[in-house]
Amino acid sequence: MSRVLAIALLLLVAVPCAAFAREGEAGFINLDSSLLIQMLNFGLLLVVLWRFLYRPLLAKMEERSQAIRKSLEEAQAARAEAQREREEHAARIRAAHAEAQAIRAAALTEAAEEQRRLVEAARAEAARLVESAKAELEQDVRRARQQLRREVSDLAIDVAERLIKKSLRDEDHRRVVEDAITRMQNVN
């Protein structure tokens, strides 16, 4: 603003000085009362331009610079908000990854525990089946021994009947008994 006033003042002062310097020559500017009127008109033009053009222009420029400043501040705030949200999202993603890792680790631990329980259950079932098979085998052996004893006793009775029927002598009795004992030993 001061530059414009300085230029206007320079023109107001310099033009008449230049005109006085050429006083003797007929030139472009005449030094008469019209010069004073022209200077007055020029001054009034400057005042009118200053009042109705330059001031509103300065106000508009100031308004525009305020709007730009406000837009820059809003952009800076939006950039800061975007950065904060980006960091927040990154933190959420890191937390989600950590949670996923924890869930995965828990699932692996649970799977290992389930596998261990299944192996223990299978071993227990196998031991139970072995014990059951042993018990059944022992029972079969007892039955077989009982059956063998019955057969031996039946055989002994049968031999005794035969001996009695033949009325054997003492030597024959001994031979028959020894024979029966030998058969029993072979069967056992």
Side-chain angles (χ1 to χ4, degrees):
M1 175 173 147
S2 60
R3 285 183 191 171
V4 172
L5 286 176
I7 291 171
L9 187 60
L10 180 69
L11 288 175
L12 282 174
V13 172
V15 169
C17 289
F20 284 123
R22 294 176 160 213
E23 212 175 297
E25 302 173 6
F28 184 65
I29 299 177
N30 293 330
L31 290 178
D32 55 1
S33 63
S34 69
L35 180 63
L36 198 52
I37 293 173
Q38 285 177 359
M39 284 176 49
L40 185 64
N41 280 341
F42 184 71
L44 283 175
L45 177 66
L46 281 178
V47 168
V48 169
L49 287 177
W50 174 264
R51 171 91 176 155
F52 295 109
L53 184 65
Y54 189 68
R55 272 187 172 171
L57 180 67
L58 283 179
K60 278 294 184 188
M61 294 294 281
E62 182 61 29
E63 182 181 318
R64 179 68 181 147
S65 51
Q66 288 293 334
I68 289 172
R69 202 173 298 120
K70 183 178 177 184
S71 294
L72 287 175
E73 289 171 359
E74 288 175 356
Q76 189 69 14
R79 185 177 298 127
E81 178 67 19
Q83 179 65 25
R84 186 190 62 77
E85 286 182 7
R86 187 178 311 126
E87 289 171 359
E88 185 177 306
H89 288 303
R92 284 183 187 165
I93 288 172
R94 283 191 300 272
H97 281 298
E99 184 178 347
Q101 290 295 333
I103 290 171
R104 181 176 180 259
L108 288 175
T109 304
E110 187 177 322
E113 181 65 26
E114 184 65 24
Q115 181 182 12
R116 185 189 60 76
R117 278 186 287 191
L118 289 174
V119 167
E120 286 179 5
R123 285 183 183 157
E125 182 66 19
R128 187 189 63 76
L129 288 174
V130 166
E131 290 298 318
S132 174
K134 282 182 183 179
E136 192 174 321
L137 183 63
E138 288 176 9
Q139 192 176 18
D140 287 345
V141 167
R142 274 183 285 181
R143 275 192 231 129
R145 284 184 181 164
Q146 287 175 356
Q147 187 177 3
L148 184 61
R149 285 183 187 144
R150 275 188 296 231
E151 287 179 13
V152 167
S153 64
D154 288 344
L155 185 61
I157 293 171
D158 188 37
V159 168
E161 281 180 8
R162 277 193 235 152
L163 284 177
I164 294 173
K165 285 183 186 176
K166 288 187 177 181
S167 45
L168 298 172
R169 294 180 276 149
D170 202 22
E171 299 156 1
D172 291 333
H173 271 296
R174 284 187 188 163
R175 190 174 36 89
V176 170
V177 170
E178 285 177 10
D179 208 17
I181 290 173
T182 306
R183 280 190 210 162
M184 282 178 52
Q185 286 176 350
N186 287 338
V187 171
N188 281 337

